Amino acid sequence: MSSEFRLSMHGQWSGRVAFILAATGSAVGLGNIWKFPYITGDNGGGAFVLVYLFCIVLIGIPVMMAEIFLGRKGGLSPINTMGMLAREENRHGIWRGLGWMGAIAGLLILSYYSVIAGWAMAYTVRMAAGVFVGATADGVTSIFVALTSDPERLLGWHTLFMLMTMTIVSRGVQHGLEKAVRFLMPLLLIMLLILVAYATTTGAFAQGFNYLFYPDFSKLTSESVLVAMGHAFFTLSLGMGAIMAYGAYLPKNISIAKTTFMIAGADTLVALFAGLAIFPIVFANSMTPAEGPGLIFKTLPIAFGQMDYGILFGTLFFVLIVFAAWTSAISLIEPMVAWLVENKNLSRIRASAYIGVLTWFIGVGSVLSFNVWEKATWSIPGLFKDLTFFDTLDGLTANVLLPLGGLFIAIFVGHLMAKHKVKEEMNSHPLLYTIWYALIRYVTPLLVIIVFLKAIKLI
Ligand code: PHE
């Protein structure tokens, strides 16, 4: 079979657009709308955003290109792709471990991601019921607290979201994804624009804008830099094999560089719009930016509660968040499921069911960490304070496992693969190629290492 038409055993995208849509569906999710605003608020605003943008360009984009490249070259689940490519390059079989680390990270992320997606589902219902009409900041906050302090309710939504995710994964990720994302992404952008337009009427738009874009470097700590870098990986779905798994279903004749720019561009735009919508609401209602994971749930309902057609827009917006989370969730679990199908001869349905149940169980810990286990925290002196189960999982995956995965990917592609093979397979514009190769070989790994060492205060 010519390599152009080599078919992955899990199916193949119908073409470039399908891949872009699926990868964008993976990238754009809770990371953009829920996590980006709240960690920006926790880490002091502008300077943090600037570091995050730097990380997208100098680390995220090169790593995404490398991951798509590896995935397409291997054509298998990330674990087997890494095993196969290591063999091809006469490298140690331990490189499969990179695939394993990613697959496990994906599972851990999904376990809490699903809980937060559950909040968004609960909010869809509350929006539609008109609960927030005319609500004050205090009222909205108490509705949030009522939800998160009720473990049974959270568990119900978490269960529903996991079922939704595993249903799609069990049918193969290509089906329906293309159509759904093509329709939902523009709609999400429009809704965000409506929210930004509302934000301009709050009287605090300039303040919100400055908070987001005016860097105050005195607020930047080495931990914030680590969080910003970790988020660049998280938001672009990098370092754990999601994009590698999707790359495996990518036809050969497609430009990896152009595709990457589009995905990263769309992802960054959504995050910045979300920030622009949220911070003016924060300041207009005398709230603090450092509200933590509840930030968007305490601010956006105020906006919808006050605007014309708020019930309609609010419901639609939370439905869109749930969809965005859904298209990300299926990519979080795809590497593990694809491996089970390849190696254990399981059907996709069985593989999804096993992994789904396991992930659901881990998620129960995050459900409880917002109520019953709220006080069960621990600290790493000098580094992190009062981490709950949820914070620990989030920190471990986004700030440690994903960047570590990215570092190893950069080392593998930049140093361990034969240069001519990389060049041939990348097949991009010579100047672009030279820049990318220099970034992935030197800049990306060095930056990740420096940020790590700084965070643990070794330099
Ligand atoms: N990128 C997704 C988001 O921003 C989350 C994700 C992380 C998805 C890692 C896949 C892999 O919500």
Side-chain angles (χ1 to χ4, degrees):
M1 212 186 299
S2 88
S3 60
E4 198 128 326
F5 296 104
R6 177 206 54 190
L7 213 62
S8 149
M9 69 184 283
H10 308 284
Q12 194 168 32
W13 306 115
S14 57
R16 169 154 179 263
V17 176
F19 174 76
I20 292 180
L21 288 168
T24 308
S26 165
V28 175
L30 295 174
N32 308 62
I33 298 163
W34 158 74
K35 194 172 178 192
F36 171 72
Y38 103 70
I39 56 176
T40 297
D42 281 353
N43 289 282
F48 175 85
V49 174
L50 198 64
V51 175
Y52 152 77
L53 291 174
F54 264 107
C55 291
I56 292 286
V57 174
L58 294 179
I59 302 175
I61 290 178
V63 171
M64 183 178 281
M65 289 174 60
E67 259 200 54
I68 300 176
F69 158 80
L70 289 173
R72 183 168 73 179
K73 196 151 173 32
L76 296 164
S77 69
I79 298 172
N80 289 331
T81 281
M82 285 317 298
M84 190 188 96
L85 296 179
R87 216 171 316 122
E88 249 183 53
E89 303 289 330
N90 285 323
R91 303 295 172 186
H92 197 283
I94 190 98
W95 283 96
R96 285 174 75 84
L98 176 55
W100 271 109
M101 185 172 81
I104 292 168
L107 205 140
L108 295 178
I109 295 175
L110 181 59
S111 77
Y112 70 82
Y113 202 82
S114 165
V115 176
I116 310 296
W119 296 0
M121 288 203 275
Y123 266 57
T124 308
V125 177
R126 285 162 182 63
M127 277 290 166
V131 171
F132 297 109
V133 176
T136 58
D138 285 345
V140 172
T141 298
S142 66
I143 290 171
F144 176 76
V145 173
L147 172 70
T148 51
S149 55
D150 182 346
E152 283 160 32
R153 221 171 266 245
L154 294 189
L155 200 61
W157 290 114
H158 165 54
T159 308
L160 182 61
F161 188 80
M162 281 306 301
L163 281 172
M164 282 164 52
T165 302
M166 299 337 281
T167 307
I168 301 289
V169 175
S170 67
R171 295 164 61 188
V173 295
Q174 290 92 351
H175 298 290
L177 195 61
E178 191 175 343
K179 267 183 241 123
V181 179
R182 191 191 289 267
F183 168 71
L184 294 166
M185 234 12 99
L187 213 55
L188 184 65
L189 274 176
I190 293 172
M191 282 311 307
L192 282 169
L193 280 177
I194 292 177
L195 279 169
V196 174
Y198 168 84
T200 60
T201 68
T202 56
F205 188 73
Q207 203 182 345
F209 187 94
N210 285 342
Y211 184 75
L212 205 55
F213 293 116
Y214 185 83
D216 174 357
F217 287 101
S218 69
K219 298 219 176 102
L220 205 62
T221 62
S222 47
E223 288 85 62
S224 332
V225 175
L226 176 66
V227 175
M229 177 179 80
H231 189 63
F233 281 97
F234 185 91
T235 192
L236 292 177
S237 307
L238 298 177
M240 53 67 69
I243 294 293
M244 205 188 287
Y246 278 13
Y249 320 144
L250 182 67
K252 283 277 174 197
N253 50 352
I254 281 163
S255 156
I256 291 180
K258 259 192 248 154
T259 310
T260 300
F261 294 150
M262 296 191 59
I263 301 164
D267 187 80
T268 309
L269 207 63
V270 172
L272 294 180
F273 275 165
L276 269 182
I278 286 159
F279 288 109
I281 305 175
V282 169
F283 295 120
N285 292 280
S286 321
M287 302 167 82
T288 68
E291 279 289 336
L295 181 66
I296 70 160
F297 297 94
K298 295 176 184 170
T299 50
L300 294 181
I302 305 176
F304 289 121
Q306 290 178 1
M307 68 172 74
D308 294 340
Y309 306 107
I311 293 186
L312 177 71
F313 286 156
T315 310
L316 184 62
F317 185 71
F318 277 96
V319 167
L320 289 172
I321 296 185
V322 173
F323 264 102
W326 200 8
T327 55
S328 299
I330 59 184
S331 74
L332 278 164
I333 208 74
E334 176 64 15
M336 203 63 168
V337 170
W339 178 81
L340 278 177
V341 172
E342 280 165 11
N343 287 47
K344 298 290 160 201
N345 212 5
L346 292 181
S347 65
R348 277 195 80 93
I349 298 186
R350 255 173 205 273
S352 312
Y354 292 157
I355 299 299
V357 169
L358 179 62
T359 310
W360 179 88
F361 264 110
I362 306 172
V364 175
S366 290
V367 162
L368 297 178
S369 69
F370 291 103
N371 35 70
V372 186
W373 290 355
E374 201 175 9
K375 300 264 156 16
T377 59
W378 61 291
S379 308
I380 310 173
L383 199 55
F384 289 110
K385 229 176 87 214
D386 296 334
L387 298 181
T388 60
F389 182 86
F390 158 80
D391 295 321
T392 309
L393 268 195
D394 180 43
L396 173 72
T397 50
N399 305 336
V400 182
L401 295 182
L402 301 187
L404 215 51
L407 173 64
F408 287 130
I409 287 167
I411 292 174
F412 190 81
V413 172
H415 296 271
L416 301 183
M417 291 184 78
K419 271 189 189 163
H420 68 275
K421 277 199 211 159
V422 178
K423 188 161 187 181
E424 206 175 291
E425 173 92 23
M426 271 315 241
N427 192 19
S428 57
H429 186 279
L431 178 65
L432 215 59
Y433 178 80
T434 311
I435 297 175
W436 169 74
Y437 200 64
L439 286 174
I440 202 75
R441 201 169 150 83
Y442 304 110
V443 180
T444 305
L446 259 177
L447 284 178
V448 176
I449 291 172
I450 292 172
V451 174
F452 270 150
L453 293 181
K454 274 243 178 255
I456 55 175
K457 312 247 168 0
L458 277 183
I459 53 173

